[in-house]
Amino acid sequence: MNSKSAARATVYGYPRQGSHRELKKAVEGYWKGTVTADALRQTAADLRKANWQQLVADGIGEVPTGDFSYYDHVLDTTVLLGAIPQRHRASVDADPLDGYFAMARGTQEVAPLEMTKWFDTNYHYLVPELGPDTTFTVDSSKQVSELQEAVALGLKARPVLVGPITYLLLAKPAPGVAEDFQPLSLLERILPAYAEVLADLRAAGAEWVQLDEPALVQDRTADELDAVARVYSTLGGLTDRPKLLVASYFDRLGDALPVLADAPVDGLAIDFTGPAAANLDDLAAVPGLRGKRLVAGVVNGRNIWINDLSASLSVLAQLMGLVDHVDVAASCSLLHVPIDVSAETELDPEVRPWLAFARQKTAEIAALATGITEGTEAIAAVLDANREALASRASSPLTNNPAVRARAAAVTAADGRRGASYPDRSAAQQARLGLPLLPTTTVGSFPQTGELRKARADLRAGRIDEAQYDERIDAEIREVIAFQEKAGLDVLVHGEPERNDMVQYFAEQLDGYVATQHGWVQSYGTRYVRPPVLVGDISRPEPMTVRWWAYAQLQTDRPVKGMLTGPVTMLAWSFVRDDQPRSETARQVALALRDEVNDLETAGAAVIQVDEPALRETLPLRTAARAEYLAWGTEVFRLTTSGVRADTQIHTHMCYVEFGDILNALDEMDADVASLEAARSHMQVAHELSEAGYPRGVGPGVYDIHSPRVPGTPEVVSLLRKGLDAIPAARLWVNPDCGLKTRGWPEVRDSLQNVVTAAQELRTELR
Ligand code: GLN
Ligand code: ZN
């Protein structure tokens, strides 16, 4: 039992959007000019107030402030520190709100900040741009006023900030600054800025301030750890400051743990879930924690499963033996989960009690805090219900499908290997396909037009029936095929018009997956996604894509690629069950996809592509864990694709591949052809692959689909020449760097025509 004071329940952040995505509507309305700045501010203030009151009603004793954002909390930190990129200064000075959105989204004249993934989550932040000339000028107004709002409501509130180490480590050199500039070299300059923010927050009534340092759960050099020590001895040594709580999450702290334990800060918030569970043993080995407040993240803040409350109570009990004061929290901000399970009225009633979204998680945190303060008798009913739900989940036929389990258990290493070697396959495929040198293709999707979206909406609303919907899709396929034939592409695609989303489309057709109605989570800015949930054992009741592929192939004599989403990506963009290793879930998905691959082959497909754009995204944060991940990640890809004959050509596609560890993985996947996103790195990936001795077909993108710009033929020719320096013409494929679904038809037509013309020009030279 906590000897000194009651354990407090807290969280580090809450979903910002509101239960009806009010924030999205208000922000987008502001952009369109239909919502005034004042109305937007009012909506935001109402949402903050509603969230805090909800948290308090659910038993959270100390609420976070400053976690709210119109777009992104890292961008908010950039504004807080006055690290506005030069090109955005004028617009920020003219109108801070418009300038803020200009940094986030760009304008006609000025490019936005770059966006990238927040650690290994699906949330994207705006990358700070720093250089040797960066100066920091503090503007604490947002943090201060949000704290004051909470204080005015009579709440105990704790401002949450991105910490200085993480802020600098997430930054990149500003445009024009040398590539090797180290943002961490700005440490001495950024510390006074943080000191000023802390003083402002203390003056506004903050007893505690939380500094988030998730960057400390990645491998850090000795110099970086020295910087951590310097930062926190400096900030801890300030006289005019609130109490400091340094938070980390997503993985174990490792070598950073003793550094933080030694630092003169008042509390640590530590993750004890998932791979971060190792923090428990690590903590037992560090002295220096006595006297500090420990906020224990025992409720997983990024999955949607109910907590095992008894297991958490036992972790908390062990922690109370190590430190003087333990509080209870989610492992990270609840930003990464949807708001409320009780809104899911259409969910299978068997599954609903197994799920916990933000509201349910806050209730769990509150119950655990009560449990360790007053004793487990005080939460006996909650514990009983929790045990019952866990037992129902563990024993349900949904999570224990004997046929799926038996099949997965019977998989042998040989099942995950093509029968023939690459040279033999390549010869057999060339005999079957008869492709020219520098074969041209696309990555899969063609523009998702307004008409397609309308057809889907019409089908949902019952304005058209399935047959009418199918006819609209067929018409689109005919058009896409006709265009590709006319443009002169060699390996065609059906264009994916029937797919709303490359994961959801398959999730809806696989048994064991469930969809939510309102399970929105922020991906970036006002973009929210509704990830499907891998609830049970996965199987495929019937073919998912064969019908569309077959229709497309009927329209043409050229080969049409079958097109599937790979198992690692299916997991990466879903909520994944936590009651078995991810590798096991991936294997079940792979076996279901393998059936689809084999059915496509039987239907006559000579080329089948299995996309793994997310392989790199879910790479573990700690290098030590990466080999194991890549081993199963590539194994399940092979399991998906190796049931086919030698003369069936397997393609894959990956985004962002300029990283060494992924090149090895690509080799392990053993695909016959890989299209890669590389337009921005100018064929560098071709050279890296050739240096690594990569033996198979590869298509580094020659058309950057992230921009509406049409690449000219000479530009594509010159890129291909660079590619040919590294890869022979028979193995060098010519394709855009990703799918075309977000682009418009006019630019796609011109671009693809130029791409084909470029390939044809070089072919005549090569003959
Ligand atoms: N086949 C998919 C498409 O073209 C691949 C998308 C992706 O890489 N994200 O849309
Ligand atoms: Zn891609």
Side-chain angles (χ1 to χ4, degrees):
M1 190 127 321
N2 263 17
S3 48
K4 292 197 186 121
S5 56
R8 214 174 278 158
T10 190
V11 296
Y12 314 158
Y14 202 70
R16 300 155 179 164
Q17 69 265 35
S19 43
H20 298 93
R21 286 188 295 156
E22 292 89 338
L23 185 64
K24 174 188 174 71
K25 287 167 200 156
V27 170
E28 290 179 349
Y30 178 72
W31 294 341
K32 276 193 248 139
T34 56
V35 171
T36 64
D38 281 344
L40 172 59
R41 289 194 186 98
Q42 191 57 51
T43 301
D46 292 346
L47 285 170
R48 287 192 292 266
K49 181 172 170 189
N51 284 348
W52 288 322
Q53 288 177 332
Q54 183 72 69
L55 284 169
V56 172
D58 289 342
I60 297 299
E62 188 175 318
V63 300
T65 66
D67 62 305
F68 176 84
S69 181
Y70 285 125
Y71 203 97
D72 164 44
H73 57 274
V74 180
L75 179 59
D76 295 344
T77 312
T78 292
V79 174
L80 169 77
L81 298 168
I84 313 291
Q86 190 56 46
R87 66 182 183 285
H88 288 285
R89 287 268 166 79
S91 86
V92 172
D93 287 345
D95 183 306
L97 188 59
D98 290 342
Y100 176 85
F101 288 130
M103 286 191 281
R105 310 166 66 218
T107 63
Q108 276 304 328
E109 297 78 37
V110 191
L113 301 189
E114 195 179 289
M115 190 167 72
T116 195
K117 291 219 167 209
W118 175 248
F119 299 90
D120 58 349
T121 72
N122 286 326
Y123 175 83
H124 301 72
Y125 70 94
L126 289 157
V127 182
E129 294 175 6
L130 306 176
D133 300 333
T134 302
T135 52
F136 298 102
T137 43
V138 166
D139 173 4
S140 325
S141 54
K142 175 183 181 290
Q143 280 286 347
V144 165
S145 67
E146 289 177 18
L147 171 64
Q148 285 167 338
E149 284 170 22
V151 170
L153 291 169
L155 306 177
K156 193 162 187 57
R158 184 182 75 251
V160 177
L161 307 172
V162 176
I165 293 284
T166 296
Y167 183 77
L168 293 175
L169 288 172
L170 291 183
K172 59 166 222 171
V177 170
E179 288 268 335
D180 62 354
F181 171 75
Q182 299 285 329
L184 207 54
S185 64
L186 297 174
L187 201 60
E188 301 307 327
R189 229 179 281 168
I190 208 171
L191 281 176
Y194 270 89
E196 194 180 331
V197 175
L198 293 173
D200 290 347
L201 287 169
R202 177 176 154 91
E207 182 192 356
W208 286 87
V209 168
Q210 175 174 331
L211 292 158
D212 280 6
E213 295 285 16
L216 301 186
V217 308
Q218 293 169 302
D219 299 336
R220 303 271 62 126
T221 63
D223 282 352
E224 288 165 346
L225 292 174
D226 282 350
V228 176
R230 209 155 68 240
V231 164
Y232 286 101
S233 67
T234 305
L235 296 182
L238 297 169
T239 45
D240 181 19
R241 68 161 176 90
K243 292 181 189 157
L244 300 180
L245 177 69
V246 181
S248 64
Y249 34 83
F250 299 146
D251 211 325
R252 71 195 293 184
L253 273 166
D255 293 340
L257 179 59
V259 179
L260 289 180
D262 273 350
V265 297
D266 311 275
L268 299 182
I270 298 180
D271 183 352
F272 296 98
T273 67
N279 280 323
L280 180 58
D281 284 341
D282 294 351
L283 213 59
V286 287
L289 277 176
R290 289 236 168 256
K292 281 191 173 58
R293 172 188 187 186
L294 178 70
V295 178
V298 289
V299 169
N300 191 311
R302 54 186 296 191
N303 76 15
I304 42 83
W305 303 105
I306 52 169
N307 189 259
D308 181 338
L309 294 177
S310 306
S312 293
L313 285 170
S314 125
V315 170
L316 292 167
Q318 292 175 66
L319 292 172
M320 289 189 307
L322 300 172
V323 295
D324 294 334
H325 185 90
V326 175
D327 288 327
V328 186
S331 60
C332 60
S333 167
L334 295 174
L335 174 70
H336 307 292
V337 293
I339 295 179
D340 191 353
V341 176
S342 58
E344 300 299 329
T345 49
E346 278 170 29
L347 201 64
D348 179 349
E350 186 192 6
V351 172
R352 197 169 326 128
W354 308 346
L355 301 183
F357 295 175
R359 279 204 62 191
Q360 288 69 38
K361 285 178 188 288
T362 56
E364 290 175 345
I365 294 163
L368 289 167
T370 306
I372 59 172
T373 305
E374 295 172 24
T376 50
E377 322 77 63
I379 55 164
V382 176
L383 288 175
D384 281 346
N386 180 247
R387 260 190 295 272
E388 204 180 301
L390 290 170
S392 127
R393 184 178 171 206
S395 63
S396 165
L398 198 53
T399 55
N400 303 275
N401 180 325
V404 174
R405 302 215 150 239
R407 186 177 177 201
V411 166
T412 64
D415 293 334
R417 294 282 172 196
R418 297 287 293 268
S421 69
Y422 172 72
D424 291 349
R425 280 163 16 213
S426 159
Q429 290 160 17
Q430 188 51 21
R432 181 174 179 192
L433 292 164
L435 294 170
L437 297 176
L438 297 173
T440 54
T441 190
T442 61
V443 171
S445 58
F446 267 72
Q448 278 276 340
T449 57
E451 284 127 74
L452 285 172
R453 275 189 289 270
K454 183 168 175 302
R456 251 191 293 288
D458 285 348
L459 176 65
R460 265 198 310 272
R463 288 186 291 267
I464 57 172
D465 61 18
E466 291 274 351
Q468 288 167 306
Y469 175 74
D470 289 1
E471 173 43 39
R472 291 199 198 177
I473 299 293
D474 284 348
E476 182 71 19
I477 290 176
R478 288 195 299 273
E479 202 171 308
V480 167
I481 295 285
F483 164 74
Q484 294 174 89
E485 281 200 327
K486 188 162 139 283
L489 284 145
D490 300 304
V491 174
L492 312 193
V493 296
H494 79 292
E496 306 179 23
E498 77 289 10
R499 300 187 192 171
N500 34 10
D501 171 278
M502 65 186 286
V503 168
Q504 196 186 330
Y505 179 77
F506 292 97
E508 281 170 1
Q509 299 187 70
L510 290 167
D511 283 349
Y513 252 113
V514 301
T516 67
Q517 287 166 272
H518 307 284
W520 298 103
V521 292
Q522 189 176 10
S523 171
Y524 63 87
T526 59
R527 188 175 152 78
Y528 291 84
V529 294
R530 229 173 1 166
V533 185
L534 281 152
V535 162
D537 288 343
I538 296 295
S539 60
R540 186 199 68 147
E542 52 185 62
M544 305 180 282
T545 64
V546 176
R547 181 219 178 283
W548 304 115
W549 173 84
Y551 185 77
Q553 187 65 81
L554 268 181
Q555 318 300 318
T556 180
D557 293 334
R558 303 191 184 190
V560 177
K561 272 195 275 194
M563 190 63 58
L564 305 175
T565 302
V568 175
T569 302
M570 289 298 296
L571 263 65
W573 297 345
S574 305
F575 285 115
V576 185
R577 59 193 288 188
D578 65 345
D579 56 350
Q580 65 184 15
R582 291 176 85 87
S583 54
E584 195 52 41
T585 304
R587 178 184 291 224
Q588 293 179 357
V589 174
L591 288 170
L593 292 169
R594 179 182 173 101
D595 294 343
E596 187 73 15
V597 169
N598 296 349
D599 282 349
L600 281 166
E601 178 182 73
T602 306
V607 184
I608 300 166
Q609 177 170 312
V610 176
D611 292 324
E612 283 293 22
L615 187 70
R616 176 158 202 295
E617 283 173 24
T618 34
L619 202 59
L621 295 172
R622 290 279 183 190
T623 0
R626 290 185 182 166
E628 193 215 332
Y629 163 80
L630 290 172
W632 68 254
T634 55
E635 184 189 312
V636 294
F637 179 87
R638 292 196 312 268
L639 191 57
T640 303
T641 52
S642 55
V644 295
R645 304 194 308 254
D647 66 353
T648 297
Q649 190 169 66
I650 295 293
H651 286 217
T652 190
H653 165 71
M654 289 200 272
C655 309
Y656 320 109
V657 283
E658 56 248 77
F659 298 90
D661 34 17
I662 292 295
L663 296 185
N664 289 333
L666 186 60
D667 196 33
E668 285 296 309
M669 288 161 79
D670 196 23
D672 298 302
V673 180
S675 62
L676 304 171
E677 182 180 313
R680 284 159 194 232
S681 57
H682 296 296
M683 287 288 158
Q684 194 191 324
V685 69
H687 286 265
E688 285 170 12
L689 283 169
S690 114
E691 273 156 35
Y694 185 73
R696 290 173 285 272
V698 57
V702 290
Y703 156 25
D704 177 5
I705 66 90
H706 301 89
S707 122
R709 203 180 142 264
V710 174
T713 304
E715 175 185 333
V716 177
V717 166
S718 110
L719 278 173
L720 288 174
R721 279 193 212 286
K722 285 197 191 122
L724 283 168
D725 290 342
I727 312 270
R731 285 201 282 113
L732 186 64
W733 282 67
V734 183
N735 46 257
D737 67 356
C738 198
L740 304 167
K741 60 175 165 257
T742 58
R743 298 266 62 97
W745 263 109
E747 78 226 32
V748 162
R749 269 192 209 100
D750 292 351
S751 302
L752 288 180
Q753 192 62 69
N754 292 348
V755 165
V756 172
T757 308
Q760 286 167 346
E761 238 177 84
L762 279 172
R763 270 177 214 158
T764 36
E765 252 175 56
L766 290 164
R767 266 203 297 266

